[in-house]
Structures are given as structure tokens and as C-alpha cells.
Amino acid sequence: MKIICVGMNYAKHVDELHGMDFKRPEEPVLFMKPDSAILRVNTPFYIPDFASEFHYETEIVVKINRLGRAIDKRFAHRYYNEVGMGIDFTARDLQRKLMSQGLPWEISKGFDQSAAISEFIPLSEAGGDINNIDFHLDINGKTCQSGNTRDMLFSVDEIIAYASKFFTLKIGDLIYTGTPVGVGPVHEGDRLQAYIGDRQMMDFLIK
Ligand code: ZN
């Protein structure tokens, strides 16, 4: 199983990380996390000691349910029928340092526990339209990040079409579809609760 992630997929998030003058990507920006990055449903995230600023990135996650490569965008919707939520934990200070040196930032994104994941629900239970899913994250009861998949720069189907040019998609692969504006650090003792619409998908602690 592999985890494909999309960076810079919400315009306002691109602005908050890179400034208003940063050019938006012309094609999806992909990176991967290894399967060892999975943080199982509602288990605590233990803050690692190799960096000092760990950010949450709340994302809609799609689970691939068919084998495919070079998938045409028109048929991409046939490759998933379940959605979940994930937190793409990012060692932001480490990522900044690596980016400033022009180095790959893999270790700041793919470390153990960096891919928190929820249970999956049928797309129909998430409103039925992959391009109109409301989601948000509460930290300690206060909403910190909210988004709707309609604001993605590249839709799920476009991501699948693009990613499958390079990577054969397999059953069980996960696609983290990018985070909206509002990322920020987590701290020991925080409680993270993530929702699709009003439905709670995640509820776990930072330790
Ligand atoms: Zn992300």
C-alpha cells in the first residue's frame, strides 16, 4: 500500500505558506509517504524529537479500490467509492530548512505517524459529490481549519489521472488530497477532532 499526497492544492494555503506572489502549480504537486507513516484511527500522536514545529494539515482522503494506470480523468471516479479524513503531519521547521537548501523534504513529511487516518465511509454518506465535501478540524473544541473540496486547485479525478501516469494505483492505496488554509502547530495535550460535515471522523490526542 502506498500513500500519495498532494501539496499546494488549495490556493489560500499556498498563499499562507509561500506568500501571495508564489506561482500556483500548473500540475498537481505529488509526494509520497511510506506505509509505515500510518497512524491508526484515533491513536495518539507522540510528538517526535527531531524537529520542534509539527503542523496539522487536515485533508480529505480517497481510498483506491481498483488497479489502474494511465487512468483517463473521465473514468477516474470508477477507482474509488470511499472517503475518509487524514492529518498530514508535517515537521514544518525541518521542511523549511530542507526546502531552503533545495533538498527533497521527504523526511519532514513521511516519518512514522505522519499519516493519521480515519475510518472510511461510502462517498454517498459524505454527500455523494467528491467535489463538494465540507470538512473541518477542531482543536480543543475550537475550529482551526475548515475547507470544501470544491476549492481544490486539482480535483480528485484530476489527481488520479495525473498520479496514475507515473504510479500504478493499487487497491488500498490512499490519496491525501491537500489541505486548505489554516495549518498550524500541535502541542502536547491537544485534542484533535475532525469532521466531514457534522459527522465526526477522528478524535485523538497529541502526546
Ligand atoms: Zn498536506
Side-chain angles (χ1 to χ4, degrees):
M1 185 271 275
K2 61 185 168 296
I3 303 167
I4 297 174
C5 304
V6 186
M8 301 189 268
N9 202 27
Y10 285 82
K12 286 179 187 160
H13 170 64
V14 176
D15 294 344
E16 78 177 338
L17 273 196
H18 300 283
M20 301 296 274
D21 299 332
F22 193 83
K23 214 162 124 279
R24 287 167 193 176
E26 284 164 12
E27 287 179 319
V29 175
L30 303 183
F31 62 94
M32 305 240 251
K33 293 177 188 256
D35 58 4
S36 49
I38 287 285
L39 179 65
R40 304 253 158 238
V41 182
N42 292 341
T43 53
F45 175 84
Y46 287 87
I47 296 179
D49 59 9
F50 57 75
S52 52
E53 194 184 346
F54 288 88
H55 276 195
Y56 58 84
E57 294 190 355
T58 313
E59 314 201 357
I60 291 293
V61 181
V62 170
K63 188 190 272 184
I64 296 298
N65 64 359
R66 286 175 66 169
L67 181 75
R69 57 175 299 276
I71 298 161
D72 192 287
K73 187 193 156 193
R74 285 172 301 159
F75 305 123
H77 64 95
R78 297 180 184 172
Y79 289 79
Y80 59 89
N81 60 9
E82 287 184 309
V83 294
M85 289 185 79
I87 307 291
D88 165 18
F89 281 109
T90 303
R92 192 71 73 198
D93 51 340
L94 180 57
Q95 184 192 32
R96 257 190 242 113
K97 183 178 149 200
L98 293 164
M99 284 172 96
S100 73
Q101 296 169 344
L103 296 171
W105 31 268
E106 210 82 13
I107 56 172
S108 70
K109 282 282 198 180
F111 57 89
D112 286 357
Q113 335 170 77
S114 64
I117 192 68
S118 73
E119 301 286 3
F120 282 80
I121 59 174
L123 179 57
S124 58
E125 290 180 24
D129 180 359
I130 194 70
N131 297 312
N132 185 14
I133 298 177
D134 254 312
F135 60 100
H136 70 277
L137 174 72
D138 289 356
I139 300 184
N140 304 326
K142 183 170 164 272
T143 300
C144 288
Q145 207 179 12
S146 58
N148 185 297
T149 54
R150 79 167 85 85
D151 296 321
M152 294 182 5
L153 296 175
F154 299 98
S155 69
V156 168
D157 290 354
E158 286 167 338
I159 294 163
I160 287 174
Y162 184 75
S164 67
K165 288 186 198 183
F166 307 97
F167 310 117
T168 296
L169 300 185
K170 294 185 172 181
I171 294 169
D173 285 351
L174 302 180
I175 300 182
Y176 281 59
T177 58
T179 196
V181 71
V183 300
V186 293
H187 303 100
E188 200 178 320
D190 284 347
R191 180 178 184 184
L192 274 60
Q193 295 168 301
Y195 298 81
I196 287 179
D198 297 329
R199 181 173 179 155
Q200 188 175 83
M201 300 294 290
M202 309 179 88
D203 183 1
F204 69 103
L205 296 170
I206 306 297
K207 293 196 170 178

